[in-house]
mmCIF file of all heavy atoms in Angstrom:
data_model
loop_
_atom_site.group_PDB
_atom_site.id
_atom_site.type_symbol
_atom_site.label_atom_id
_atom_site.label_comp_id
_atom_site.label_asym_id
_atom_site.label_seq_id
_atom_site.Cartn_x
_atom_site.Cartn_y
_atom_site.Cartn_z
ATOM 1 N N SER A 52 95.827 -169.081 79.362
ATOM 2 C CA SER A 52 96.315 -167.707 79.460
ATOM 3 C C SER A 52 97.779 -167.652 79.024
ATOM 4 O O SER A 52 98.291 -166.603 78.682
ATOM 5 C CB SER A 52 96.178 -167.190 80.892
ATOM 6 O OG SER A 52 96.731 -168.115 81.790
ATOM 7 N N ALA A 53 98.440 -168.805 79.051
ATOM 8 C CA ALA A 53 99.837 -168.859 78.618
ATOM 9 C C ALA A 53 99.877 -169.138 77.122
ATOM 10 O O ALA A 53 100.297 -170.192 76.678
ATOM 11 C CB ALA A 53 100.576 -169.949 79.392
ATOM 12 N N SER A 54 99.428 -168.141 76.342
ATOM 13 C CA SER A 54 99.249 -168.375 74.911
ATOM 14 C C SER A 54 100.518 -168.096 74.109
ATOM 15 O O SER A 54 100.515 -167.364 73.136
ATOM 16 C CB SER A 54 98.096 -167.520 74.385
ATOM 17 O OG SER A 54 98.330 -166.163 74.668
ATOM 18 N N ASP A 55 101.649 -168.666 74.575
ATOM 19 C CA ASP A 55 102.877 -168.493 73.808
ATOM 20 C C ASP A 55 102.959 -169.575 72.731
ATOM 21 O O ASP A 55 102.225 -170.558 72.750
ATOM 22 C CB ASP A 55 104.099 -168.563 74.737
ATOM 23 C CG ASP A 55 104.153 -169.882 75.488
ATOM 24 O OD1 ASP A 55 104.660 -170.858 74.916
ATOM 25 O OD2 ASP A 55 103.661 -169.935 76.637
ATOM 26 N N ASN A 56 103.881 -169.391 71.812
ATOM 27 C CA ASN A 56 103.979 -170.302 70.669
ATOM 28 C C ASN A 56 104.249 -171.740 71.073
ATOM 29 O O ASN A 56 103.739 -172.681 70.459
ATOM 30 C CB ASN A 56 105.078 -169.826 69.700
ATOM 31 C CG ASN A 56 104.656 -168.562 68.970
ATOM 32 O OD1 ASN A 56 103.468 -168.268 68.889
ATOM 33 N ND2 ASN A 56 105.618 -167.821 68.459
ATOM 34 N N MET A 57 105.071 -171.944 72.125
ATOM 35 C CA MET A 57 105.408 -173.312 72.521
ATOM 36 C C MET A 57 104.166 -174.071 72.993
ATOM 37 O O MET A 57 103.975 -175.233 72.658
ATOM 38 C CB MET A 57 106.469 -173.289 73.640
ATOM 39 C CG MET A 57 106.980 -174.676 74.007
ATOM 40 S SD MET A 57 107.564 -175.615 72.558
ATOM 41 C CE MET A 57 109.030 -174.677 72.149
ATOM 42 N N ASN A 58 103.304 -173.397 73.759
ATOM 43 C CA ASN A 58 102.072 -174.054 74.210
ATOM 44 C C ASN A 58 101.170 -174.397 73.036
ATOM 45 O O ASN A 58 100.529 -175.450 73.021
ATOM 46 C CB ASN A 58 101.311 -173.157 75.198
ATOM 47 C CG ASN A 58 101.837 -173.303 76.612
ATOM 48 O OD1 ASN A 58 102.441 -174.310 76.951
ATOM 49 N ND2 ASN A 58 101.626 -172.288 77.423
ATOM 50 N N ILE A 59 101.086 -173.507 72.069
ATOM 51 C CA ILE A 59 100.239 -173.743 70.899
ATOM 52 C C ILE A 59 100.754 -174.950 70.118
ATOM 53 O O ILE A 59 100.000 -175.847 69.744
ATOM 54 C CB ILE A 59 100.192 -172.492 69.996
ATOM 55 C CG1 ILE A 59 99.483 -171.352 70.738
ATOM 56 C CG2 ILE A 59 99.482 -172.801 68.680
ATOM 57 C CD1 ILE A 59 99.562 -170.005 70.057
ATOM 58 N N VAL A 60 102.077 -175.002 69.901
ATOM 59 C CA VAL A 60 102.677 -176.135 69.175
ATOM 60 C C VAL A 60 102.440 -177.431 69.936
ATOM 61 O O VAL A 60 102.060 -178.456 69.363
ATOM 62 C CB VAL A 60 104.202 -175.898 68.970
ATOM 63 C CG1 VAL A 60 104.876 -177.155 68.440
ATOM 64 C CG2 VAL A 60 104.422 -174.742 68.008
ATOM 65 N N MET A 61 102.656 -177.395 71.263
ATOM 66 C CA MET A 61 102.489 -178.603 72.074
ATOM 67 C C MET A 61 101.036 -179.068 72.049
ATOM 68 O O MET A 61 100.743 -180.262 71.954
ATOM 69 C CB MET A 61 102.928 -178.327 73.512
ATOM 70 C CG MET A 61 103.088 -179.591 74.333
ATOM 71 S SD MET A 61 103.998 -179.252 75.852
ATOM 72 C CE MET A 61 103.789 -180.821 76.690
ATOM 73 N N ALA A 62 100.100 -178.102 72.125
ATOM 74 C CA ALA A 62 98.674 -178.439 72.093
ATOM 75 C C ALA A 62 98.316 -179.160 70.800
ATOM 76 O O ALA A 62 97.595 -180.164 70.800
ATOM 77 C CB ALA A 62 97.827 -177.179 72.251
ATOM 78 N N MET A 63 98.841 -178.666 69.686
ATOM 79 C CA MET A 63 98.568 -179.304 68.391
ATOM 80 C C MET A 63 99.199 -180.689 68.319
ATOM 81 O O MET A 63 98.604 -181.641 67.819
ATOM 82 C CB MET A 63 99.098 -178.443 67.236
ATOM 83 C CG MET A 63 98.479 -177.051 67.146
ATOM 84 S SD MET A 63 96.675 -177.058 67.061
ATOM 85 C CE MET A 63 96.268 -176.214 68.579
ATOM 86 N N ASN A 64 100.418 -180.813 68.860
ATOM 87 C CA ASN A 64 101.102 -182.106 68.837
ATOM 88 C C ASN A 64 100.406 -183.149 69.704
ATOM 89 O O ASN A 64 100.529 -184.345 69.465
ATOM 90 C CB ASN A 64 102.567 -181.955 69.295
ATOM 91 C CG ASN A 64 103.424 -181.256 68.265
ATOM 92 O OD1 ASN A 64 103.061 -181.199 67.092
ATOM 93 N ND2 ASN A 64 104.549 -180.707 68.682
ATOM 94 N N MET A 65 99.700 -182.690 70.726
ATOM 95 C CA MET A 65 98.987 -183.601 71.621
ATOM 96 C C MET A 65 97.633 -184.019 71.053
ATOM 97 O O MET A 65 96.877 -184.729 71.705
ATOM 98 C CB MET A 65 98.765 -182.926 72.988
ATOM 99 C CG MET A 65 100.026 -182.769 73.791
ATOM 100 S SD MET A 65 100.551 -184.325 74.507
ATOM 101 C CE MET A 65 101.994 -183.802 75.411
ATOM 102 N N GLY A 66 97.295 -183.511 69.869
ATOM 103 C CA GLY A 66 96.023 -183.905 69.267
ATOM 104 C C GLY A 66 94.969 -182.825 69.319
ATOM 105 O O GLY A 66 93.810 -183.067 68.994
ATOM 106 N N GLY A 67 95.361 -181.614 69.759
ATOM 107 C CA GLY A 67 94.414 -180.503 69.787
ATOM 108 C C GLY A 67 94.127 -179.980 68.388
ATOM 109 O O GLY A 67 94.936 -180.129 67.475
ATOM 110 N N ASP A 68 92.957 -179.370 68.212
ATOM 111 C CA ASP A 68 92.552 -178.842 66.905
ATOM 112 C C ASP A 68 92.705 -177.335 66.810
ATOM 113 O O ASP A 68 92.804 -176.793 65.715
ATOM 114 C CB ASP A 68 91.086 -179.225 66.622
ATOM 115 C CG ASP A 68 90.925 -180.718 66.440
ATOM 116 O OD1 ASP A 68 90.746 -181.433 67.439
ATOM 117 O OD2 ASP A 68 91.000 -181.175 65.297
ATOM 118 N N ASP A 69 92.701 -176.663 67.968
ATOM 119 C CA ASP A 69 92.841 -175.203 67.947
ATOM 120 C C ASP A 69 93.181 -174.735 69.353
ATOM 121 O O ASP A 69 93.227 -175.534 70.306
ATOM 122 C CB ASP A 69 91.545 -174.539 67.449
ATOM 123 C CG ASP A 69 91.826 -173.207 66.736
ATOM 124 O OD1 ASP A 69 92.870 -172.590 67.015
ATOM 125 O OD2 ASP A 69 90.977 -172.794 65.925
ATOM 126 N N PHE A 70 93.379 -173.426 69.493
ATOM 127 C CA PHE A 70 93.859 -172.836 70.744
ATOM 128 C C PHE A 70 93.188 -171.487 70.910
ATOM 129 O O PHE A 70 93.210 -170.663 69.996
ATOM 130 C CB PHE A 70 95.389 -172.674 70.628
ATOM 131 C CG PHE A 70 96.085 -172.476 71.933
ATOM 132 C CD1 PHE A 70 96.754 -173.528 72.539
ATOM 133 C CD2 PHE A 70 96.106 -171.232 72.552
ATOM 134 C CE1 PHE A 70 97.429 -173.351 73.744
ATOM 135 C CE2 PHE A 70 96.761 -171.048 73.754
ATOM 136 C CZ PHE A 70 97.432 -172.109 74.344
ATOM 137 N N ILE A 71 92.561 -171.248 72.054
ATOM 138 C CA ILE A 71 91.927 -169.955 72.334
ATOM 139 C C ILE A 71 92.612 -169.342 73.557
ATOM 140 O O ILE A 71 92.627 -169.948 74.634
ATOM 141 C CB ILE A 71 90.413 -170.106 72.602
ATOM 142 C CG1 ILE A 71 89.705 -170.686 71.371
ATOM 143 C CG2 ILE A 71 89.803 -168.752 72.984
ATOM 144 C CD1 ILE A 71 88.225 -170.976 71.592
ATOM 145 N N PRO A 72 93.208 -168.137 73.397
ATOM 146 C CA PRO A 72 93.886 -167.511 74.541
ATOM 147 C C PRO A 72 92.888 -166.943 75.551
ATOM 148 O O PRO A 72 91.778 -166.573 75.204
ATOM 149 C CB PRO A 72 94.709 -166.400 73.897
ATOM 150 C CG PRO A 72 93.984 -166.074 72.627
ATOM 151 C CD PRO A 72 93.328 -167.333 72.163
ATOM 152 N N LYS A 73 93.313 -166.914 76.822
ATOM 153 C CA LYS A 73 92.537 -166.257 77.878
ATOM 154 C C LYS A 73 93.114 -164.859 78.082
ATOM 155 O O LYS A 73 94.313 -164.664 77.908
ATOM 156 C CB LYS A 73 92.639 -167.047 79.180
ATOM 157 C CG LYS A 73 91.918 -168.378 79.182
ATOM 158 C CD LYS A 73 92.079 -168.992 80.562
ATOM 159 C CE LYS A 73 91.387 -170.323 80.688
ATOM 160 N NZ LYS A 73 91.602 -170.910 82.013
ATOM 161 N N PRO A 74 92.299 -163.893 78.525
ATOM 162 C CA PRO A 74 90.850 -164.010 78.760
ATOM 163 C C PRO A 74 90.102 -164.269 77.459
ATOM 164 O O PRO A 74 90.439 -163.698 76.425
ATOM 165 C CB PRO A 74 90.472 -162.658 79.368
ATOM 166 C CG PRO A 74 91.558 -161.724 78.915
ATOM 167 C CD PRO A 74 92.808 -162.534 78.803
ATOM 168 N N VAL A 75 89.126 -165.160 77.543
ATOM 169 C CA VAL A 75 88.417 -165.599 76.342
ATOM 170 C C VAL A 75 87.507 -164.494 75.819
ATOM 171 O O VAL A 75 86.658 -163.977 76.554
ATOM 172 C CB VAL A 75 87.600 -166.874 76.631
ATOM 173 C CG1 VAL A 75 86.751 -167.259 75.432
ATOM 174 C CG2 VAL A 75 88.532 -168.023 77.003
ATOM 175 N N ASP A 76 87.697 -164.143 74.553
ATOM 176 C CA ASP A 76 86.796 -163.218 73.865
ATOM 177 C C ASP A 76 85.651 -164.077 73.314
ATOM 178 O O ASP A 76 85.883 -165.002 72.528
ATOM 179 C CB ASP A 76 87.553 -162.523 72.735
ATOM 180 C CG ASP A 76 86.679 -161.544 71.955
ATOM 181 O OD1 ASP A 76 85.555 -161.933 71.564
ATOM 182 O OD2 ASP A 76 87.126 -160.410 71.717
ATOM 183 N N LEU A 77 84.419 -163.785 73.724
ATOM 184 C CA LEU A 77 83.288 -164.633 73.335
ATOM 185 C C LEU A 77 83.056 -164.658 71.830
ATOM 186 O O LEU A 77 82.565 -165.651 71.284
ATOM 187 C CB LEU A 77 82.017 -164.198 74.072
ATOM 188 C CG LEU A 77 82.031 -164.427 75.587
ATOM 189 C CD1 LEU A 77 80.719 -163.980 76.210
ATOM 190 C CD2 LEU A 77 82.313 -165.881 75.938
ATOM 191 N N ASN A 78 83.407 -163.567 71.139
ATOM 192 C CA ASN A 78 83.286 -163.569 69.674
ATOM 193 C C ASN A 78 84.300 -164.513 69.031
ATOM 194 O O ASN A 78 83.992 -165.224 68.071
ATOM 195 C CB ASN A 78 83.473 -162.150 69.120
ATOM 196 C CG ASN A 78 82.315 -161.235 69.499
ATOM 197 O OD1 ASN A 78 81.169 -161.680 69.541
ATOM 198 N ND2 ASN A 78 82.615 -159.990 69.802
ATOM 199 N N VAL A 79 85.519 -164.523 69.593
ATOM 200 C CA VAL A 79 86.557 -165.441 69.099
ATOM 201 C C VAL A 79 86.140 -166.885 69.400
ATOM 202 O O VAL A 79 86.270 -167.777 68.550
ATOM 203 C CB VAL A 79 87.928 -165.128 69.745
ATOM 204 C CG1 VAL A 79 88.957 -166.201 69.394
ATOM 205 C CG2 VAL A 79 88.414 -163.751 69.306
ATOM 206 N N LEU A 80 85.639 -167.105 70.612
ATOM 207 C CA LEU A 80 85.153 -168.439 71.005
ATOM 208 C C LEU A 80 84.095 -168.936 70.018
ATOM 209 O O LEU A 80 84.183 -170.058 69.503
ATOM 210 C CB LEU A 80 84.560 -168.382 72.415
ATOM 211 C CG LEU A 80 83.855 -169.654 72.911
ATOM 212 C CD1 LEU A 80 84.860 -170.709 73.317
ATOM 213 C CD2 LEU A 80 82.931 -169.346 74.097
ATOM 214 N N THR A 81 83.116 -168.091 69.735
ATOM 215 C CA THR A 81 82.029 -168.449 68.819
ATOM 216 C C THR A 81 82.572 -168.796 67.431
ATOM 217 O O THR A 81 82.234 -169.842 66.866
ATOM 218 C CB THR A 81 81.016 -167.293 68.699
ATOM 219 O OG1 THR A 81 80.478 -167.011 69.988
ATOM 220 C CG2 THR A 81 79.881 -167.660 67.761
ATOM 221 N N ALA A 82 83.436 -167.935 66.909
ATOM 222 C CA ALA A 82 83.976 -168.137 65.559
ATOM 223 C C ALA A 82 84.793 -169.419 65.471
ATOM 224 O O ALA A 82 84.639 -170.205 64.525
ATOM 225 C CB ALA A 82 84.824 -166.941 65.154
ATOM 226 N N LYS A 83 85.647 -169.659 66.471
ATOM 227 C CA LYS A 83 86.534 -170.836 66.424
ATOM 228 C C LYS A 83 85.747 -172.129 66.600
ATOM 229 O O LYS A 83 86.011 -173.128 65.922
ATOM 230 C CB LYS A 83 87.631 -170.718 67.485
ATOM 231 C CG LYS A 83 88.648 -169.639 67.175
ATOM 232 C CD LYS A 83 90.023 -170.002 67.697
ATOM 233 C CE LYS A 83 91.074 -169.012 67.217
ATOM 234 N NZ LYS A 83 92.434 -169.550 67.302
ATOM 235 N N LEU A 84 84.781 -172.127 67.513
ATOM 236 C CA LEU A 84 83.978 -173.332 67.722
ATOM 237 C C LEU A 84 83.156 -173.667 66.481
ATOM 238 O O LEU A 84 83.105 -174.818 66.052
ATOM 239 C CB LEU A 84 83.046 -173.164 68.932
ATOM 240 C CG LEU A 84 83.531 -173.852 70.213
ATOM 241 C CD1 LEU A 84 84.827 -173.221 70.695
ATOM 242 C CD2 LEU A 84 82.471 -173.787 71.297
ATOM 243 N N GLN A 85 82.522 -172.670 65.914
ATOM 244 C CA GLN A 85 81.695 -172.918 64.738
ATOM 245 C C GLN A 85 82.536 -173.407 63.560
ATOM 246 O O GLN A 85 82.128 -174.303 62.815
ATOM 247 C CB GLN A 85 80.894 -171.660 64.377
ATOM 248 C CG GLN A 85 79.810 -171.354 65.400
ATOM 249 C CD GLN A 85 78.935 -170.188 65.004
ATOM 250 O OE1 GLN A 85 79.294 -169.387 64.147
ATOM 251 N NE2 GLN A 85 77.776 -170.072 65.629
ATOM 252 N N ALA A 86 83.728 -172.834 63.402
ATOM 253 C CA ALA A 86 84.614 -173.260 62.311
ATOM 254 C C ALA A 86 85.057 -174.708 62.515
ATOM 255 O O ALA A 86 85.050 -175.514 61.575
ATOM 256 C CB ALA A 86 85.829 -172.344 62.228
ATOM 257 N N ALA A 87 85.428 -175.049 63.746
ATOM 258 C CA ALA A 87 85.894 -176.409 64.025
ATOM 259 C C ALA A 87 84.759 -177.421 63.870
ATOM 260 O O ALA A 87 84.966 -178.534 63.363
ATOM 261 C CB ALA A 87 86.476 -176.485 65.441
ATOM 262 N N LEU A 88 83.549 -177.053 64.296
ATOM 263 C CA LEU A 88 82.394 -177.954 64.150
ATOM 264 C C LEU A 88 82.059 -178.170 62.677
ATOM 265 O O LEU A 88 81.737 -179.284 62.260
ATOM 266 C CB LEU A 88 81.180 -177.391 64.899
ATOM 267 C CG LEU A 88 81.248 -177.485 66.425
ATOM 268 C CD1 LEU A 88 80.176 -176.620 67.068
ATOM 269 C CD2 LEU A 88 81.102 -178.938 66.891
ATOM 270 N N ARG A 89 82.146 -177.098 61.884
ATOM 271 C CA ARG A 89 81.884 -177.238 60.441
ATOM 272 C C ARG A 89 82.893 -178.174 59.797
ATOM 273 O O ARG A 89 82.547 -179.049 59.011
ATOM 274 C CB ARG A 89 81.928 -175.863 59.750
ATOM 275 C CG ARG A 89 80.599 -175.118 59.775
ATOM 276 C CD ARG A 89 80.605 -173.985 58.757
ATOM 277 N NE ARG A 89 81.672 -173.030 58.982
ATOM 278 C CZ ARG A 89 81.593 -171.992 59.821
ATOM 279 N NH1 ARG A 89 80.475 -171.790 60.503
ATOM 280 N NH2 ARG A 89 82.607 -171.166 59.973
ATOM 281 N N ARG A 90 84.170 -177.982 60.148
ATOM 282 C CA ARG A 90 85.224 -178.835 59.571
ATOM 283 C C ARG A 90 84.989 -180.295 59.932
ATOM 284 O O ARG A 90 85.183 -181.187 59.113
ATOM 285 C CB ARG A 90 86.608 -178.410 60.103
ATOM 286 C CG ARG A 90 87.162 -177.160 59.476
ATOM 287 C CD ARG A 90 88.662 -177.024 59.748
ATOM 288 N NE ARG A 90 88.975 -176.985 61.170
ATOM 289 C CZ ARG A 90 89.029 -175.870 61.891
ATOM 290 N NH1 ARG A 90 88.751 -174.698 61.334
ATOM 291 N NH2 ARG A 90 89.350 -175.915 63.162
ATOM 292 N N ALA A 91 84.571 -180.530 61.167
ATOM 293 C CA ALA A 91 84.450 -181.917 61.639
ATOM 294 C C ALA A 91 83.173 -182.599 61.173
ATOM 295 O O ALA A 91 83.175 -183.800 60.906
ATOM 296 C CB ALA A 91 84.517 -181.938 63.169
ATOM 297 N N TYR A 92 82.073 -181.846 61.061
ATOM 298 C CA TYR A 92 80.780 -182.506 60.887
ATOM 299 C C TYR A 92 80.021 -182.177 59.615
ATOM 300 O O TYR A 92 79.105 -182.895 59.255
ATOM 301 C CB TYR A 92 79.896 -182.233 62.106
ATOM 302 C CG TYR A 92 80.545 -182.727 63.371
ATOM 303 C CD1 TYR A 92 81.002 -181.845 64.336
ATOM 304 C CD2 TYR A 92 80.740 -184.088 63.575
ATOM 305 C CE1 TYR A 92 81.633 -182.298 65.486
ATOM 306 C CE2 TYR A 92 81.361 -184.551 64.716
ATOM 307 C CZ TYR A 92 81.811 -183.661 65.675
ATOM 308 O OH TYR A 92 82.432 -184.128 66.790
ATOM 309 N N ASP A 93 80.390 -181.129 58.914
ATOM 310 C CA ASP A 93 79.691 -180.843 57.660
ATOM 311 C C ASP A 93 79.999 -181.899 56.612
ATOM 312 O O ASP A 93 79.205 -182.168 55.734
ATOM 313 C CB ASP A 93 80.078 -179.454 57.120
ATOM 314 C CG ASP A 93 79.274 -178.359 57.800
ATOM 315 O OD1 ASP A 93 78.510 -178.699 58.718
ATOM 316 O OD2 ASP A 93 79.400 -177.194 57.420
ATOM 317 N N MET A 94 81.177 -182.516 56.708
ATOM 318 C CA MET A 94 81.578 -183.507 55.730
ATOM 319 C C MET A 94 81.366 -184.909 56.283
ATOM 320 O O MET A 94 82.299 -185.629 56.586
ATOM 321 C CB MET A 94 83.061 -183.318 55.362
ATOM 322 C CG MET A 94 83.378 -181.939 54.830
ATOM 323 S SD MET A 94 82.466 -181.542 53.327
ATOM 324 C CE MET A 94 83.240 -182.667 52.184
ATOM 325 N N GLY A 95 80.134 -185.295 56.477
ATOM 326 C CA GLY A 95 79.883 -186.694 56.821
ATOM 327 C C GLY A 95 79.466 -186.961 58.244
ATOM 328 O O GLY A 95 79.350 -188.106 58.648
ATOM 329 N N GLY A 96 79.256 -185.927 59.034
ATOM 330 C CA GLY A 96 78.652 -186.148 60.343
ATOM 331 C C GLY A 96 79.610 -186.619 61.416
ATOM 332 O O GLY A 96 80.812 -186.481 61.340
#
């Protein structure tokens, strides 16, 4: 829920791939998860 820029930068620096703010919008959740899964697994499993 603390979706400020510093948290986003820190999350990425810690090895995170993306950031979803709360309250979670289920459409945003769906889009971000599917995009991240495609990036990770469409190219070689």
